[in-house]
Amino acid sequence: TMISKGAPVAKPKLSDVAALAGVSPTTVSRVLNNRGYLSEATRTKVHEAVQQLGYRPNAIARSLQGQRSQTVGLIFPTVANPFYGEMVYQLENHLADAGYRVILCNSEDHPEQEKRYLDMLFANQVDGIITGAHSDALVNVPHAQAPLVTVDRRETGFYPNIRSDNYGGAHAATEHLIATGAQTIVHVTSTLGEHNERQRGYREAMLDAGLTPEFVELGFRPSLGLKREMLYRYLDERADSAEPVDAVFASNDNYAALALGWARTRGIRVPEDFQVIGYDGTQTVQLLMPELATVIQPIEGIARRAVQRLLELIERQDASTASAAPADSTSEGSAYLPGDVLPIELHLGATVRTIPDLSLVEPDTSAPDELQ
């Protein structure tokens, strides 16, 4: 149904634009935010409807009226990291589908910077925040001024935390390396800590096999070039020792790439004499390094779930405001609870050996029957 030009809609809404263009409100939002793959015909219909109705989204006016600003803040360490870059891309896509714009903040893992960003986002009256920053700034903000969801952080109990099965992924990767016959398996990580689930998965798999866990801690702050120097120095020293490293389980694909670079420059055969498994499995890494064995995180699934949980919190807060009930994050039935754990996929590329088929090994007939 077309709306007559002679009957303009007073203060037209996004739904009015959708009705006039004959599309869904989500499609209108995608066109206005220039998100996703839409036909030129659809874009034209939406823009013509916007012009005909005189529709003007006014986020500032909405926030002044105590309504939603249709803006969400994203705080992540750095989008230069492929995992965070792809995560932010997916989050922005899902938020745009729901009619939200984003303010992106790169915290560089500085607690002070993260606190400043939180203050700035609260001052801008964002409708919600999604963060994957590593500092403890959020632990000290138990009652945020806007709904908040965390991604791949340690549980605080205050906010839903959406992550993949870090423990299971690390345990499966380490078990595979052990099954191939690797003995000296080192875990390369940024920082060690009691809440590090990848560290725990690796450690328990090693101990279960009677092997000694060994860690290389590179830190969050040093540049990738400095981390390469640190890792190369460690592996070189071990190569000259009685127990050279024969496998690396890295906590991300950047560190796995550094380990492979070391082997290549030293003329060490991969995977015959040195194996590597990474973590994250972003589309960029899968495209550029298809040979890399890695634990693939469901990044799109994590982003979709994080946005879903945030929208639920925003709706809950709106309902609480409307009923004048206090939005207490610790109240019974609150959505501010530990979040969701999504399954991982272990991709076994050419940087690891296959597990030998023990069924093909001839049994030792010299042993007594009862011991066979």
Side-chain angles (χ1 to χ4, degrees):
T1 56
M2 294 297 287
I3 300 174
S4 168
K5 288 187 179 179
V9 177
K11 290 188 179 178
K13 302 174 183 175
L14 187 134
S15 56
D16 298 323
V17 176
L20 179 56
V23 298
S24 69
T26 296
T27 299
V28 174
S29 173
R30 291 178 75 105
V31 171
L32 296 180
N33 287 286
N34 196 27
R35 306 300 305 179
Y37 300 98
L38 297 166
S39 71
E40 199 55 44
T42 299
R43 292 180 184 277
T44 301
K45 278 195 300 184
V46 170
H47 285 301
E48 285 178 352
V50 166
Q51 189 172 9
Q52 185 174 330
L53 292 172
Y55 173 72
R56 293 289 182 273
N58 191 334
I60 296 175
R62 278 198 299 273
S63 65
L64 290 175
Q65 294 163 7
Q67 299 173 12
R68 297 182 189 170
S69 65
Q70 299 302 121
T71 304
V72 167
L74 304 180
I75 307 177
F76 284 86
T78 170
V79 292
N81 179 303
F83 172 72
Y84 295 123
E86 192 166 307
M87 179 63 69
V88 166
Y89 170 76
Q90 293 290 352
L91 286 169
E92 188 178 5
N93 270 341
H94 286 291
L95 286 165
D97 286 349
Y100 287 84
R101 299 162 303 157
V102 305
I103 299 175
L104 174 61
C105 307
N106 286 277
S107 69
E108 296 292 343
D109 287 305
H110 288 278
E112 303 79 12
Q113 180 82 318
E114 189 176 337
K115 288 173 188 171
R116 282 196 293 271
Y117 276 138
L118 284 169
D119 290 341
M120 180 271 287
L121 293 172
F122 293 149
N124 277 271
Q125 294 184 294
V126 294
D127 293 331
I129 294 173
I130 298 176
T131 178
H134 291 109
S135 86
D136 285 333
L138 286 175
V139 178
N140 302 318
V141 189
H143 299 285
Q145 300 169 41
L148 193 147
V149 171
T150 61
V151 169
D152 199 31
R153 281 180 49 92
R154 71 182 180 89
E155 300 290 354
T156 65
F158 290 115
Y159 317 107
N161 181 42
I162 317 301
R163 65 204 184 284
S164 71
D165 183 6
N166 289 304
Y167 172 86
H171 198 274
T174 308
E175 277 194 323
H176 179 86
L177 291 172
I178 294 168
T180 65
Q183 292 283 314
T184 311
I185 306 167
V186 171
H187 179 40
V188 180
T189 184
S190 294
T191 57
L192 299 171
E194 59 178 323
H195 303 291
N196 188 325
E197 287 293 286
R198 293 177 200 176
Q199 170 192 326
R200 188 169 72 88
Y202 157 81
R203 184 175 181 276
E204 291 188 9
M206 291 289 284
L207 292 176
D208 287 347
L211 300 175
T212 304
E214 297 184 56
F215 303 92
V216 178
E217 196 173 6
L218 299 179
F220 280 120
R221 303 281 173 79
S223 68
L224 207 54
L226 186 55
K227 289 179 180 180
R228 178 175 57 202
E229 291 177 20
M230 293 164 65
L231 183 59
Y232 278 30
R233 191 181 312 121
Y234 173 85
L235 292 173
D236 280 338
E237 289 173 359
R238 291 299 301 272
D240 294 332
S241 70
E243 290 188 339
V245 175
D246 58 8
V248 163
F249 166 52
S251 65
N252 62 55
D253 292 332
N254 282 349
Y255 296 168
L258 294 182
L260 288 174
W262 173 81
R264 187 169 58 249
T265 59
R266 302 300 186 262
I268 295 171
R269 298 182 306 165
V270 175
E272 293 87 349
D273 302 319
F274 186 72
Q275 301 183 78
V276 177
I277 296 184
Y279 209 106
D280 290 336
T282 61
Q283 291 181 0
T284 300
V285 168
Q286 290 185 59
L287 180 66
L288 297 177
M289 301 180 66
E291 76 280 6
L292 176 65
T294 188
V295 179
I296 300 177
Q297 296 204 68
I299 298 176
E300 192 274 335
I302 294 173
R304 184 172 64 248
R305 188 71 60 85
V307 170
Q308 178 186 343
R309 293 299 298 272
L310 185 69
L311 297 181
E312 289 171 1
L313 293 182
I314 292 172
E315 293 289 346
R316 177 185 292 266
Q317 188 180 66
D318 285 354
S320 297
T321 303
S323 63
D328 180 8
S329 66
T330 59
S331 62
E332 187 177 352
S334 168
Y336 289 93
L337 294 170
D340 306 296
V341 179
L342 278 64
I344 53 83
E345 175 191 345
L346 181 59
H347 167 67
L348 298 174
T351 60
V352 293
R353 298 194 295 268
T354 55
I355 298 173
D357 188 350
L358 299 179
S359 66
L360 300 178
V361 178
E362 291 288 334
D364 184 0
T365 54
S366 64
D369 290 344
E370 64 270 18
L371 296 180
Q372 285 191 23

